[in-house]
Amino acid sequence: MSKYHVAVDVGGTFTDVFVFDEKTGKIHVTKTSSTPSNPEKGMMDGIAKAKLTGDQIAMFSHGTTVGTNALIERKLPKAALVTTKGFRDVTEIRRGTKLDLWDAYNDVAEPYIKRRDRFEVTERVDFSGNIMTEVNEAEVRELARVLKRRQVESIAICFMNAYVNGDNEKLVKEMLQEEMPDVYICTSSETLPEIFEHERMSTTIVNAVLGPTISKYIKVLEKEMKGIGYQGDILVLHSGGGVMTSETVPRYAARLASSGIAAGAIASKHIANMCGFKNAIGLDMGGTSTDISLMYDNDLRVTKDWYIEYGYPIGFPSIEILTIGAGGGSLSWIDEGGSLRNGPQSAGAVPGPACYQRGGTEPTNSDANVVLGRLGTKLLDGQMTLDKEAAIKAIEKTVASKLDYNVYEAADAIIKVANANMCDALRLISVRRGYDPRDFALVAFGGAGALHGAELAKEMEIPHVIVPAHPGVAAAMGCLLVDVRHDVTKTYLANIADIQKDDLEKEFIEMEKEAIALLEEEGIEPENMNLIRYVDMRYVGQWRTLSVTVNRPLQSLENAVERFHQEHEREFAFRDEETGIEIYGLRVEAIGTVTKPEFNKEEPSGTLEEAWKETREVYFEESGGFIETAVYDRTKIPVLSEFSGPAIIDQLDSTVVVPPYCTVKVDEYRNIIMSFAAKEEGQKEADITVPTLAN
């Protein structure tokens, strides 16, 4: 009876549900209000709204903000750190940097574990892994007594040099578990066996403080899903772009710190591939923020330098995502110098934009889009009515009157500032990394992405914009498109000239044994396992590393060296073949493939004229102001349609703005692909002609 694949993305405002019927290939989407204090309720409400029972669900996966919110709101269990004598303040000293070096009053957030809850034990391991000082059992037993008295719920163990020998950590963990069997305990040698004590300790601490919260959440969700008859695995998206089952989630809880955000990047990659693009920039613009990711040559950029709060890095490999405070609800305001600003403050869901009629009085991007005619006054298929007059009043009071603009000029200025902020972020993730935006497509999704996507692409000279069939729930769809994935890492310091190929092969074989064990624990069959090897390399004397793939089994390092030179030249604009190269670390990416949906192509039916809803005045600066613009119902636009802007395309979960200089093609998967007419040197925008309607 099971035939539905269900994916859920739990956001701060809405919980999005994406349902795929594996027998018919049909898609159904729903949205429900999120319940931050009880996140599983929003999921269950969404499943109920989709009219599904547990026995109808063949696979269930989801992305969650539980870990992210717990860290931001500091709703964490009572936790303790156990470390080597003399090192209790590593997490507070950090790297001695700040997000804004020149702001003397902007302090880094406090550590997740306060100093009074950080304990030291006598032990020592040298740089090569030799145990110089054994653990004192009596000291550890006494520590357990203190921790019990303090009612500690979670313990992070991080000893210096444990990345080369974790025996002392393992011994202390066993002793503490004997004394405190119900307490969550994790060690740095199990969590992240890598050099650099601050990054390793920070990751272990984040894992420890999230462990009990995530464990409780998963248990409650399992109970709820079993209550409606679902008997399969609960798959949870993690920061690396894969999923874990509920069995392994508590062990690597820190990987869920950006669970929901990664789903959008996965969806962006899949959508771009469907449309035939290997290079794509994902723009996931919601109500509060915009998440930007980059795919080059079919690979999403991965980083190990990320955090939820600055100063406390999480060392697990993660899809690189740049988040800025720009969304539909971002507030516009005038600073002390009289300049117009946009965000990062947000009206949120409550009171929301002024046009929502929920008490908001400050202008937002959504208000500006309503005033300019880009958003209609009816959303969600008429379920929601927007108050245009309230939006005009808010913009007039806060922006127009102070800048001596009329309300339409002020609304246009609000959109321009918001777009400028997003373009800055697009440059950071592309140009700053050595990528030319003109070689990419922009995948615009989220509730507000399609409103701004075309203008951002024009500014960045990105030739194509893709808007997926269901942009508002694309992140939820991303949860269905991932495999089980684990990363096994190890610090390995050696000059490449001194490395024996066979020695490196032995290291990889040992790491692969651990990776296979993790996949077996997830229930993955051998034929569905795929292991990919990576080597972190850098020039001798440098600290920046780049990760390149190597063959399995390892035959030589010559190809890896050449790829390293090429990547270094692309990212840092130079290569130095005279300087030696050293290996910094090894990584095995363990992938267990799971069944993923195959979306059906559609045949053309109907006409574009039948999709026409109305005509309304929409403001486009390049056209000199308001012009009559056709508004279409996206669900009725036939596939393979081609037409030119200006146009507005409405659907349940988003609105697409097609400016006058754009052409539109709808592919067989119902993705909208907007393209820009080529501009000759010296040609003005107004001189460019675009193709007329072709249906």
Side-chain angles (χ1 to χ4, degrees), residues 340-358:
L340 177 62
R341 300 299 184 101
N342 190 279
Q345 306 93 325
S346 174
V350 179
C355 61
Y356 279 19
Q357 306 177 75
R358 295 175 181 170

Side-chain angles (χ1 to χ4, degrees), residues 208-500:
V209 298
L210 288 184
T213 301
I214 297 297
S215 297
K216 179 181 177 182
Y217 162 72
I218 287 295
K219 287 178 182 177
V220 172
L221 181 58
E222 283 182 326
K223 181 179 178 181
E224 293 284 349
M225 290 299 293
K226 286 181 180 177
I228 64 170
Y230 179 68
Q231 301 298 323
D233 287 326
I234 291 178
L235 302 178
V236 188
L237 189 72
H238 62 67
S239 60
V243 289
M244 297 184 287
T245 65
S246 55
E247 295 294 324
T248 55
V249 161
R251 191 190 311 170
Y252 299 105
R255 300 209 74 167
L256 267 62
S258 65
S259 168
I261 299 174
I266 296 294
S268 172
K269 174 182 178 179
H270 180 81
I271 292 160
N273 288 160
M274 288 173 69
C275 298
F277 295 95
K278 292 184 177 182
N279 302 337
I281 299 174
L283 181 88
D284 183 359
M285 185 177 181
T288 303
S289 62
T290 295
D291 301 319
I292 301 173
S293 60
L294 184 141
M295 175 184 74
Y296 179 73
D297 198 20
N298 272 340
D299 287 328
L300 287 165
R301 274 189 65 95
V302 174
T303 181
K304 296 177 72 175
D305 182 19
W306 63 286
Y307 52 84
I308 299 301
E309 291 183 297
Y310 184 83
Y312 305 105
I314 300 172
F316 290 120
S318 172
I319 295 173
E320 184 176 21
I321 297 170
L322 182 60
T323 300
I324 63 169
S330 293
L331 295 173
S332 291
W333 50 286
I334 306 295
D335 66 15
E336 294 177 354
S339 297
L340 177 62
R341 300 299 184 101
N342 190 279
Q345 306 93 325
S346 174
V350 179
C355 61
Y356 279 19
Q357 306 177 75
R358 295 175 181 170
T361 58
E362 300 299 314
T364 66
N365 293 330
S366 292
D367 293 308
N369 278 311
V370 169
V371 169
L372 297 177
R374 301 178 183 206
L375 271 179
T377 55
K378 299 287 185 182
L379 294 183
L380 300 175
D381 283 347
Q383 300 174 41
M384 185 176 184
T385 301
L386 303 185
D387 188 342
K388 185 175 181 179
E389 290 305 315
I392 290 174
K393 187 181 296 184
I395 293 173
E396 175 64 41
K397 176 184 175 182
T398 304
V399 179
S401 62
K402 296 180 180 179
L403 297 179
D404 197 25
Y405 286 172
N406 66 45
V407 70
Y408 304 111
E409 291 172 334
D412 186 49
I414 288 172
I415 298 301
K416 283 182 178 177
V417 174
N419 287 347
N421 291 340
M422 286 185 278
C423 282
D424 285 344
L426 289 169
R427 292 185 184 97
L428 284 175
I429 206 166
S430 59
V431 178
R432 189 172 179 178
R433 301 287 193 267
Y435 300 105
D436 188 339
R438 293 172 294 186
D439 297 332
F440 290 76
L442 181 70
V443 183
F445 57 103
L451 279 166
H452 296 256
E455 291 186 342
L456 296 176
K458 178 192 175 189
E459 175 65 24
M460 297 291 295
E461 298 186 49
I462 298 173
H464 304 286
V465 180
I466 304 168
V467 181
H470 304 282
V473 296
M477 181 185 76
C479 295
L480 279 185
L481 303 171
V482 293
D483 295 309
V484 172
R485 172 179 160 171
H486 287 282
D487 295 276
V488 178
T489 62
K490 181 176 183 177
T491 295
Y492 188 93
L493 296 171
N495 191 299
I496 205 161
D498 301 328
I499 294 174
Q500 296 295 320

